[in-house]
């Protein structure tokens, strides 16, 4: 994987990953010259996507949460989240997912300084596709030519395909929580985020 990600002198390669948010110190040791593009999404948007595509069960997030509980108990650096984990209603998938979001987000922000990085809000990217991607390309030392720009815009105009499709109406997806989540579901997320200062 390390050999592949480094690519050749004329080849830029990257990967998308959410799991590494909890393992950025490890990643820094394994791939020390990695450039990180950190995109933070509104937790309500994440929960609505999980609800729409039934991802909590499909991606086995309940077991991932049990692993996180063990990590918090064993790892002194994560011990600050013990109260958050302890108060989580494990029978409520939205509560579990929100807890995981808070910890992953906090850990990512704590460790981003290990890398050369750029930080974005998903909703800002979705609202300003061309300018956002131009800035991201510039961060990577690249110029976004018209052909690439056209392809990116095309993929952000409409939602089609299944769960893993790369065609998504970016503006619609960034706001879908407003009609996919019930008021009590949004309230649960908002209250938990506020209680933990996020």
């Amino acid at each position: 994987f390390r050999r592949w990600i480094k690519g050749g002198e004329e080849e830029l390669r990257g990967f998308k990953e959410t799991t590494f948010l909890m393992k950025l110190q490890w990643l820094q040791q394994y791939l020390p010259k990695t450039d990180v593009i950190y995109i933070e999404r509104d937790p309500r948007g994440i929960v609505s996507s999980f609800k729409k595509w039934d991802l909590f069960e499909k991606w086995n997030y309940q077991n991932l949460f049990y692993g996180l509980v063990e990590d918090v108990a064993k790892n002194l650096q994560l011990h600050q989240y013990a109260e958050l984990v302890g108060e989580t209603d494990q029978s409520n998938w939205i509560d579990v997912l929100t807890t995981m979001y808070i910890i992953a987000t906090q850990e990512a922000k704590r460790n981003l300084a290990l890398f050369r990085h750029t930080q974005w809000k998903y909703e800002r990217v979705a609202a300003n596709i061309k300018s956002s991607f131009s800035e991201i390309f510039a961060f990577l030392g690249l110029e976004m030519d018209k052909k690439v720009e056209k392809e990116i815009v095309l993929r952000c105009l409409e939602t089609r395909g299944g769960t893993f499709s790369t065609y998504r109406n970016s503006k619609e997806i960034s706001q879908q929580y407003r009609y996919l989540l019930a008021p009590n579901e949004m309230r649960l997320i908002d209250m938990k985020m506020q209680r933990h200062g996020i």
Side-chain angles (χ1 to χ4, degrees), residues 41-55 122-123 126 159 163 167-182 185-186:
R41 189 174 179 187
D42 186 314
R44 296 168 298 184
I46 293 172
V47 170
S48 67
S49 286
F50 270 66
K51 185 177 184 178
K52 181 177 182 178
W53 302 103
D54 194 26
L55 299 178
Y122 175 86
E123 292 73 23
T159 299
T163 308
Y167 288 86
R168 293 284 185 261
N169 181 319
S170 59
K171 291 181 181 176
E172 179 185 286
I173 293 297
S174 69
Q175 300 299 314
Q176 72 179 356
Y177 71 87
R178 298 179 186 278
Y179 57 86
L180 283 179
L181 296 182
E185 293 172 330
M186 281 199 274

Side-chain angles (χ1 to χ4, degrees), residues 44-133:
R44 296 168 298 184
I46 293 172
V47 170
S48 67
S49 286
F50 270 66
K51 185 177 184 178
K52 181 177 182 178
W53 302 103
D54 194 26
L55 299 178
F56 192 82
E57 288 189 14
K58 283 180 185 173
W59 290 353
N60 205 14
Y61 261 65
Q62 191 69 54
N63 279 344
L64 290 176
F65 179 72
Y66 295 147
L68 179 58
V69 172
E70 289 181 7
D71 287 345
V72 168
K74 293 176 185 175
N75 189 332
L76 289 176
Q77 289 183 322
L78 299 177
H79 194 64
Q80 61 180 308
Y81 304 113
E83 183 180 342
L84 169 61
V85 166
E87 73 182 23
T88 301
D89 179 358
Q90 296 189 26
S91 65
N92 183 327
W93 73 270
I94 293 178
D95 199 26
V96 169
L97 191 59
T98 305
T99 292
M100 295 177 78
Y101 171 90
I102 291 171
I103 296 174
T105 301
Q106 295 295 86
E107 284 301 292
K109 289 178 177 177
R110 188 167 69 85
N111 288 293
L112 275 177
L114 295 171
F115 302 89
R116 179 176 173 270
H117 69 278
T118 183
Q119 202 167 335
W120 292 80
K121 292 283 189 183
Y122 175 86
E123 292 73 23
R124 180 186 163 199
V125 175
N128 305 282
I129 295 296
K130 291 182 184 179
S131 61
S132 298
F133 273 94

Side-chain angles (χ1 to χ4, degrees), residues 135-172:
E135 286 186 51
I136 291 169
F137 272 54
F139 166 76
L140 296 170
L142 302 170
E143 188 175 333
M144 187 167 70
D145 67 27
K146 292 298 180 186
K147 182 179 178 182
V148 172
E149 180 184 303
K150 184 178 178 182
E151 184 67 21
I152 289 171
V153 170
L154 175 68
R155 288 174 183 271
C156 295
L157 285 177
E158 64 174 331
T159 299
R160 65 180 198 235
T163 308
F164 303 107
S165 172
T166 57
Y167 288 86
R168 293 284 185 261
N169 181 319
S170 59
K171 291 181 181 176
E172 179 185 286

